[in-house]
Amino acid sequence: MVEVDARGFSCPIPVVKIMHAIENSPGESITVFVESEVSRENVSRLAQSKGYTVEIEALAEGYKLILNPPSS
Amino acid sequence: MAQVLRQLQLGPLKDRNLLVGLETSDDAAVYKLTEDLALIQTVDFFTPVVDDPYFFGQVAATNALSDIYAMGGRPLLALNIVCFPNCLPLEWLTAILQGGADKVAEAGAIIAGGHSVQDDEPKYGLAVTGLVSPQKVITNAGALPGDVLILTKPIGTGIITTGIKAGLVSPETQVAAVTSMTTLNAAAATAMPAAGVHACTDITGFGLLGHAAEMALASKVSLELEMGKIPLLPEIENLASLGLIPGGAYKNRDYLINEIIFADRITAIEKMILFDPQTSGGLFIALPGEKERDFFAALNRQEKRTLFVQTVGRVTEKQDYLILVK
């Protein structure tokens, strides 16, 4: 399980971090922490465009996203 | 900004010579000096949207001058507004100001001064004064049912500048975006008188749909836009689907979503593109359908060609939405 904490960064940095995580860990689930709705939407969009399914959990501050790869 | 302005107590200043003020969210203020002459005033400045300081200066000046063109006027004087940190090389500041000066000169106007302050992040823009005949002021409030809607630049600069920050935009697309952002709206503005234009605004931070909604609201009409006819910068759909969408696009969407009807076949990505905030965008013009040909003929007579001028929709009687995208 890969984890990326992108809190404290504004877009496009979280998207770039997730892009790298997808490239470096193909076929693995990725857990992502972001702090803004914009980052939540943009990271979801990226993941879906790569065939991942996205589970979103609202936290006290920010969001936790679990990105599941197409094959699993 | 509109929400803040609504709460302002501006005092009993009702001056009948103020032809365009705050009320209709227009591009610039217009003040009548004589029966034949009115002053147009506007100010705009922002943080760098491209890395190259010279092109940043050009973009900022093109953007600031655009408000004058959108009111049907011609720019006369400009004053620089600069914020610059003391940790960056002064050559960058020189390059920014040179970019601005070159665009102001291209517009046939003069830089007459300015003001600078030290700040952590560079910012640049201009306050521009223009002239217009009071009878020829073009506001965003005059669109009539039956008008056609014309857009003079492609959409997508917000997504592309976000993509540039992520290092994911090809050099060709970067050139296309910078070329668009540094193209003066002068040619399109010069073609407007020949076509009896009813309304005009320029497309900037509220995106195509935001500024179109302002026009619909101010003109008390509704607008129909055809997605397939709206010119887009290259790579936009790919960049947007990768999540390279600026925060402003989401703000625009949240603010406007109840005023807009989308046909079923408009994708989520296309919607976000239409909400994308633009830097130095094109003019958005409403003119009588029978004058459409005259407008394009007048445009083709201009020395400087504008590349992406396109009829993108039409004006209808007021409906229970501001805009229909189909």
Side-chain angles (χ1 to χ4, degrees):
Chain A
M1 174 77 105
V2 180
E3 187 172 302
V4 179
D5 189 346
R7 285 174 291 198
F9 296 96
S10 60
C11 269
I13 305 300
V15 168
V16 174
K17 284 176 174 288
I18 305 311
M19 239 173 230
H20 288 155
I22 289 175
E23 277 167 24
N24 293 335
S25 311
E28 287 195 50
S29 289
I30 304 172
T31 302
V32 187
F33 294 92
V34 293
E35 64 185 16
S36 72
E37 289 177 34
V38 169
S39 296
R40 181 195 70 197
E41 292 211 40
N42 279 341
V43 168
S44 300
R45 238 177 254 290
L46 167 68
Q48 284 159 357
S49 77
K50 303 287 183 190
Y52 286 66
T53 56
V54 181
E55 296 167 34
I56 298 171
E57 184 186 333
L59 306 176
E61 283 180 31
Y63 302 90
K64 176 183 175 184
L65 280 63
I66 299 172
L67 317 180
N68 294 308
S71 52
S72 72
Chain B
M1 190 63 191
Q3 287 165 11
V4 174
L5 289 177
R6 268 199 291 275
Q7 293 170 24
L8 271 190
Q9 303 293 319
L10 287 172
L13 287 171
K14 272 286 175 192
D15 185 327
R16 61 195 172 86
N17 289 320
L18 184 65
L19 303 182
V20 179
L22 284 173
E23 295 82 8
T24 51
S25 311
D26 219 315
D27 304 298
V30 182
Y31 189 89
K32 187 168 90 172
L33 297 174
T34 69
E35 290 309 310
D36 306 318
L37 202 59
L39 211 56
I40 311 175
Q41 292 209 299
T42 181
V43 56
D44 215 330
F45 70 117
F46 43 66
T47 55
V49 289
V50 288
D51 290 337
D52 183 296
Y54 176 74
F55 284 124
F56 169 50
Q58 284 207 345
V59 170
T62 307
N63 182 70
L65 289 159
S66 176
D67 287 330
I68 303 290
Y69 294 125
M71 304 306 295
R74 64 177 178 86
L76 184 68
L77 287 177
L79 303 173
N80 284 322
I81 301 162
V82 184
C83 302
F84 201 74
N86 54 11
C87 61
L88 290 178
L90 271 181
E91 292 78 40
W92 287 20
L93 180 55
T94 308
I96 291 170
L97 295 177
Q98 188 64 56
D102 287 353
K103 274 296 151 185
V104 170
E106 184 186 330
I110 304 162
I111 290 190
H115 185 71
S116 62
V117 291
Q118 193 181 311
D119 196 2
D120 292 343
E121 193 176 15
K123 300 175 188 76
Y124 174 62
L126 306 100
V128 187
T129 300
L131 294 177
V132 66
S133 158
Q135 291 79 35
K136 293 182 178 162
V137 176
I138 302 171
T139 71
N140 65 356
L144 293 173
D147 285 354
V148 294
L149 295 164
I150 292 169
L151 179 64
T152 70
K153 283 189 189 181
I155 296 294
T157 62
I159 290 167
I160 288 192
T161 51
T162 305
I164 290 173
K165 284 178 197 158
L168 290 167
V169 179
S170 72
E172 296 77 23
T173 296
Q174 292 191 33
V175 168
V178 170
T179 301
S180 177
M181 290 190 285
T182 56
T183 297
L184 290 174
N185 280 327
T190 310
M192 290 202 292
V197 167
H198 286 152
C200 178
T201 188
D202 64 342
I203 305 300
T204 52
F206 297 146
L208 175 60
L209 289 179
H211 292 283
E214 284 182 342
M215 180 183 285
L217 201 60
S219 302
K220 302 181 175 65
V221 294
S222 291
L223 310 183
E224 280 183 19
L225 298 178
E226 288 186 52
M227 187 70 219
K229 290 190 174 172
I230 295 167
L232 305 177
L233 282 166
E235 291 184 52
I236 280 303
E237 286 178 296
N238 181 41
L239 293 167
S241 67
L242 292 177
L244 296 163
I245 299 173
Y250 292 104
K251 276 188 202 149
N252 290 339
R253 179 194 63 184
D254 295 346
Y255 187 66
L256 287 162
I257 196 72
N258 295 327
E259 310 291 345
I260 295 165
I261 305 261
F262 293 97
D264 289 344
R265 62 184 180 82
I266 307 296
T267 66
I269 294 294
E270 287 172 328
K271 290 177 192 172
M272 291 315 297
I273 290 170
L274 298 183
F275 288 121
D276 183 41
Q278 302 299 288
T279 298
S280 191
L283 297 181
F284 183 66
I285 300 166
L287 55 84
E290 68 273 16
K291 297 274 192 174
E292 185 180 353
R293 196 176 294 179
D294 296 342
F295 177 78
F296 282 96
L299 198 62
N300 287 331
R301 283 196 296 273
Q302 301 293 314
E303 202 176 309
K304 283 188 180 296
R305 291 298 167 91
T306 29
L307 295 176
F308 285 94
V309 182
Q310 183 83 37
T311 300
V312 296
R314 66 191 190 98
V315 182
T316 66
E317 299 285 348
K318 188 167 170 31
Q319 310 291 321
D320 54 6
Y321 52 78
L322 289 178
I323 300 172
L324 168 66
V325 182
K326 57 183 193 177

